[in-house]
Amino acid sequence: MINSIFEAILRILSDVSSRAQHGYDAVVLLALLVNYRKYESVNPYIVKLSIVDDEPTLDGMGMVIHHALTEYNRQYKDKEEENQGGFFSTLSSMVGSMFIADADEKLSVQTNEAILLALYEAVHLNRNFITVLAQSHPEIEMATTPATPVPASPTTPLGTTPPSLDNLMVEFIITHMMKEFPMDLYVRCVQIIHKLICYQKKCRIRMHYTWRELWSALINLLKFLLSNETILLAKHNIFQLALQVVNLFNMFITYGDTFLPTPSSYDELYYEIIRMHQVFENLYCMVLRVSTNAGQWKEPASKVTHALVNVRAIINHFNPKIESYAAVNHISQLSEDQVLEVVRSNYDTLTLKLQDGLDQFERYSEQPREAGFFKELVRSISLNVRKNVSLSTMSQDVLLKEFSSIS
């Protein structure tokens, strides 16, 4: 740490030719140096990385990370296509899925932990790096343009626009409902969605996004928790996650008019709640049952009971009116437009309770909560780098001469 090589690393990342040869290794090295004994002493690399504002350097770092993650995605896609090839492969997968737990059905593509750590540190420490994520890089897009023309749309090198993040969270929610339920990751996922919505509400950003996909994913998550209550409660506090999901709906109900793109989006929120009312009613019955009995889950279940007050008010207010509308008009099953018509004409008589603190969240802090995770991660990356490092592509003599020319 006495002789810093920070400036040399930045020079590599800012120069096109050196970045092409050594960019990946430079980014991995920087990630490891930033994490060197950072919980025991002052790490100068943390301070230096946090104040970097040179655009070519930050762009270079962003492109290295982008290329590495693109390659990982390509490998994963190739492996996925390989596993899905042919009738007999499909048949064996179907038969195997009857006997193998969901958590065991994983494609064997090693996660690039080093690059993910580098991305985390860049975003966590350097606010200027955020602008790199929000910019399009033509040189990247030109290199990866498909042969078949596709509709043009704004792109970012790492797919980090708010809709992209929401899409990623929705995909995670609907694809990880498995026997070995990753509770910690689900809590983080819902927290990310909550923070995005809080930011939209604060800045009054009306993001054009297919919100129904998110609402549907969240409701299906509640269904999964209800269906697997006994199994999950043996390992997890499912009421914490249920409370977070319900409060997301409360955010939409209370503040949706400030960030949903159109008034009709708000109507569609009510439609989804009414359409899937049975899930919310089943959830209420479950948490009421648990909260009225003595036990370790009494208090967390009680919080969910109170959080459901507005969702249940909407259901209890509109369902009788929808049934009445159907009876008067002799309709056995109402269309979506007809239900929306009932909703729009009965907002005035709906009474909701004002809930405080919905737009408050606990700010992220790496230490002490995440320190153990990062220590293990850095140890794993270090071992992997030692195992795979090679200077065979360039003689040490040439390498040392090149680095000695960096000023």
Side-chain angles (χ1 to χ4, degrees):
M1 286 294 173
I2 297 174
N3 299 313
S4 174
I5 60 170
F6 185 78
E7 287 71 23
I9 293 174
L10 296 194
R11 181 71 178 270
I12 290 172
L13 293 175
S14 62
D15 181 75
V16 175
S17 59
S18 63
R19 183 172 66 240
Q21 285 184 294
H22 312 299
Y24 180 88
D25 294 328
V27 167
V28 173
L29 176 59
L30 181 58
L32 290 172
L33 289 171
V34 165
N35 280 274
Y36 178 74
R37 301 186 68 180
K38 66 177 178 180
Y39 301 120
E40 290 87 41
S41 60
V42 176
N43 184 324
Y45 286 88
I46 292 177
V47 179
K48 290 184 177 184
L49 180 58
S50 68
I51 60 176
V52 174
D53 59 0
D54 180 62
E55 190 172 334
T57 301
L58 294 172
D59 281 347
M61 186 184 300
M63 282 187 277
V64 170
I65 294 172
H66 169 270
H67 281 301
L69 294 180
T70 299
E71 176 61 19
Y72 171 79
N73 288 339
R74 185 194 64 75
Q75 291 177 10
Y76 186 91
K77 185 176 180 181
D78 290 348
K79 193 73 175 179
E80 188 178 41
E81 290 175 352
E82 178 186 319
N83 285 8
Q84 292 176 349
F87 169 77
F88 289 106
S89 174
T90 304
L91 180 62
S92 63
S93 296
M94 290 171 61
V95 174
S97 67
M98 293 191 291
F99 304 101
I100 302 173
D102 298 355
D104 295 332
E105 297 170 15
K106 297 176 181 177
L107 299 179
S108 56
V109 179
Q110 184 177 3
T111 303
N112 195 329
E113 294 176 335
I115 287 297
L116 291 176
L117 178 64
L119 173 61
Y120 165 81
E121 295 295 358
V123 172
H124 180 53
L125 296 175
N126 191 303
R127 63 171 56 193
N128 297 311
F129 190 74
I130 301 299
T131 59
V132 173
L133 303 185
Q135 291 174 349
S136 175
H137 291 271
E139 65 272 31
I140 292 176
E141 302 307 326
M142 287 172 64
T144 57
T145 301
T148 305
V150 294
S153 60
T155 56
T156 59
L158 297 173
T160 49
T161 58
S164 299
L165 280 176
D166 280 325
N167 283 335
L168 184 62
M169 296 304 104
V170 168
E171 183 177 349
F172 177 84
I173 289 172
I174 62 179
T175 57
H176 288 75
M177 298 181 202
M178 57 182 69
K179 295 173 184 176
E180 292 297 323
F181 189 69
M183 175 63 76
D184 183 56
L185 294 180
Y186 266 97
V187 169
R188 292 173 189 271
C189 176
V190 177
Q191 286 174 340
I192 290 170
I193 297 169
H194 181 230
K195 288 179 181 179
L196 284 171
I197 294 173
C198 288
Y199 180 79
Q200 284 184 250
K201 181 246 178 189
K202 178 183 177 182
C203 301
R204 293 186 173 270
I205 298 173
R206 296 188 182 277
M207 187 172 74
H208 288 275
Y209 177 72
T210 312
W211 291 106
R212 272 189 169 183
E213 293 181 3
L214 173 60
W215 300 330
S216 176
L218 293 172
I219 292 171
N220 282 328
L221 175 56
L222 291 178
K223 286 175 68 176
F224 179 83
L225 295 180
L226 287 167
S227 300
N228 297 274
E229 174 194 349
T230 305
I231 297 171
L232 293 175
L233 269 180
K235 300 179 181 179
H236 309 290
N237 175 7
I238 64 172
F239 302 105
Q240 177 194 8
L241 182 58
L243 179 63
Q244 288 180 316
V245 171
V246 172
N247 277 338
L248 278 183
F249 279 100
N250 285 329
M251 276 286 293
F252 282 104
I253 293 167
T254 307
Y255 302 115
D257 60 327
T258 66
F259 61 81
L260 287 174
T262 61
S264 62
S265 300
Y266 195 74
D267 301 335
E268 289 168 2
L269 166 67
Y270 277 62
Y271 174 81
E272 286 301 312
I273 292 173
I274 294 165
R275 186 176 71 87
M276 302 301 292
H277 68 92
Q278 195 60 56
V279 175
F280 292 105
E281 289 174 357
N282 290 345
L283 176 63
Y284 179 75
C285 290
M286 188 265 277
V287 293
L288 184 64
R289 167 174 50 81
V290 175
S291 64
T292 52
N293 294 318
Q296 68 178 116
W297 306 121
K298 179 180 176 70
E299 184 178 346
S302 180
K303 290 180 180 178
V304 182
T305 306
H306 293 122
L308 282 166
V309 60
N310 281 342
V311 173
R312 296 185 67 240
I314 290 169
I315 293 168
N316 293 333
H317 176 74
F318 286 105
N319 269 355
K321 290 176 170 51
I322 291 169
E323 291 170 4
S324 175
Y325 180 93
V328 169
N329 293 279
H330 306 290
I331 303 171
S332 58
Q333 187 171 353
L334 271 63
S335 66
E336 179 177 335
D337 288 338
Q338 289 169 326
V339 173
L340 288 171
E341 180 185 337
V342 176
V343 168
R344 293 187 187 105
S345 59
N346 286 280
Y347 274 132
D348 293 344
T349 53
L350 173 65
T351 302
L352 298 176
K353 182 180 179 181
L354 182 63
Q355 295 176 308
D356 296 326
L358 292 175
D359 57 347
Q360 303 297 313
F361 56 85
E362 183 181 354
R363 294 197 173 275
Y364 174 77
S365 177
E366 183 180 309
Q367 196 177 14
R369 185 178 297 177
E370 311 296 344
F373 168 80
F374 281 103
K375 285 179 180 178
E376 287 300 316
L377 179 63
V378 171
R379 187 175 291 114
S380 170
I381 293 170
S382 299
L383 291 172
N384 197 46
V385 169
R386 287 195 189 109
K387 184 172 65 175
N388 296 307
V389 69
S390 172
L391 295 176
S392 60
T393 56
M394 180 180 285
S395 69
Q396 292 187 15
D397 181 54
V398 175
L399 193 65
L400 290 171
K401 283 181 180 178
E402 183 167 326
F403 283 125
S404 67
S405 66
I406 297 175
S407 57

